[in-house]
Amino acid sequence: MSAVLHIGLVINPLAGLGGSLAMKGSDGDEVRRMVESLDPEQRTRALQRVERALRPLKGADNPVRFSCWTGDMGERALQELGIPCQVLGHGTRDLTSASDTREAASALIDAGVDVLVFAGGDGTARDIFDVVGTLMPVLGIPAGVKMHSGVFAVSPEAAGELLVQLANGGLVGLQLREVRDIDEEAFRHDVVRSRFYGDMLVPGEGRYLQHTKVGGRESHDLVAADI
């Protein structure tokens, strides 16, 4: 890790909007079509949570360096906070997708960030995991509807506290935490099917981090036997 903490920021601007639409999640084309009808002011859930998390970094003892993805996927939040940043990427579509999240994460890895901070829910965590795996530490700012993974802080403020500790050179350990997601279509029919996707490295302690909502991992042998 460099002397000046280099944070990479990725925001899923659609995170959490499926909840306000009574869709029990924000994945899928149907939700995206419904989001198009929302006012821009109704699409700020993830932005507001990121601002709550990052505001304390303006008062950190040591300087912090930021790299982020363009537009609503990071640049806008940092601009509104008055935090200088290196902006990566090109103009994104109004309604971003999982491929945009993966592209942003890949670019931030190439930019040499020390920790990748992302805002979203379990679907966003899966997209980050697809690119990052255990290559580097990540920290999720909770902004989604489905929050079963253990890679998220318990609140935006808790994420901010952890990042301030890292910026100030505090002793913050790394631990493997589960990425999980549920079948949204089944969940909309009140059936919870949680699946383990993998582990990511997360800085912090138990009091800052969310517990995985569904414990245990699938045994491939038992799944095959059930089939």
Side-chain angles (χ1 to χ4, degrees):
M1 186 176 288
S2 55
V4 175
L5 181 66
H6 187 183
I7 299 174
L9 176 65
V10 182
I11 301 173
N12 174 2
L14 306 187
L17 298 182
S20 62
L21 297 170
M23 293 296 289
K24 296 187 177 181
S26 302
D27 297 341
D29 291 336
E30 185 179 357
V31 172
R32 289 168 60 80
R33 286 193 295 270
M34 295 174 71
V35 166
E36 285 183 305
S37 66
L38 294 178
D39 234 309
E41 293 305 312
Q42 295 176 292
R43 301 186 196 177
T44 58
R45 173 187 170 99
L47 173 71
Q48 291 171 355
R49 292 193 167 216
V50 169
E51 291 179 354
R52 285 165 52 190
L54 300 186
R55 190 168 285 112
L57 285 168
K58 298 179 69 174
D61 295 337
N62 295 321
V64 175
R65 177 185 170 199
F66 272 95
S67 292
C68 66
W69 203 242
T70 185
D72 287 348
M73 292 187 68
E75 179 185 10
R76 178 183 171 191
L78 293 173
Q79 283 182 341
E80 294 197 4
L81 287 168
I83 297 176
C85 58
Q86 175 189 12
V87 180
L88 307 177
H90 43 77
T92 56
R93 294 162 289 174
D94 184 38
L95 294 182
T96 60
S97 67
S99 62
D100 294 314
T101 301
R102 290 191 287 266
E103 182 182 6
S106 180
L108 288 166
I109 291 174
D110 292 341
V113 301
D114 297 315
V115 57
L116 181 59
V117 176
F118 67 93
D122 289 330
T124 310
R126 283 175 52 188
D127 297 332
I128 297 293
F129 170 77
D130 286 343
V131 176
V132 177
T134 55
L135 288 175
M136 64 187 308
V138 305
L139 179 62
I141 298 172
V145 179
K146 303 168 298 165
M147 306 297 299
H148 290 73
S149 301
V151 297
F152 293 98
V154 294
S155 67
E157 289 75 17
E161 286 185 47
L162 266 176
L163 292 173
V164 167
Q165 286 190 36
L166 286 173
N168 291 340
L171 294 177
V172 180
L174 291 176
Q175 52 185 289
L176 286 171
R177 307 281 294 196
E178 289 188 10
V179 176
R180 302 191 73 94
D181 200 1
I182 63 173
D183 181 334
E184 277 195 18
E185 288 303 317
F187 189 42
R188 287 167 187 153
H189 293 88
D190 298 319
V191 177
V192 179
R193 295 174 184 159
S194 177
R195 178 181 170 190
F196 168 77
Y197 283 89
D199 291 311
M200 288 199 287
L201 286 169
V202 181
E205 314 165 9
R207 68 190 179 99
Y208 290 109
L209 300 177
Q210 174 176 286
H211 292 291
T212 304
K213 293 291 178 61
V214 179
R217 304 183 183 181
E218 290 82 354
S219 163
H220 296 295
D221 291 337
L222 289 175
V223 170
D226 285 343
I227 293 172

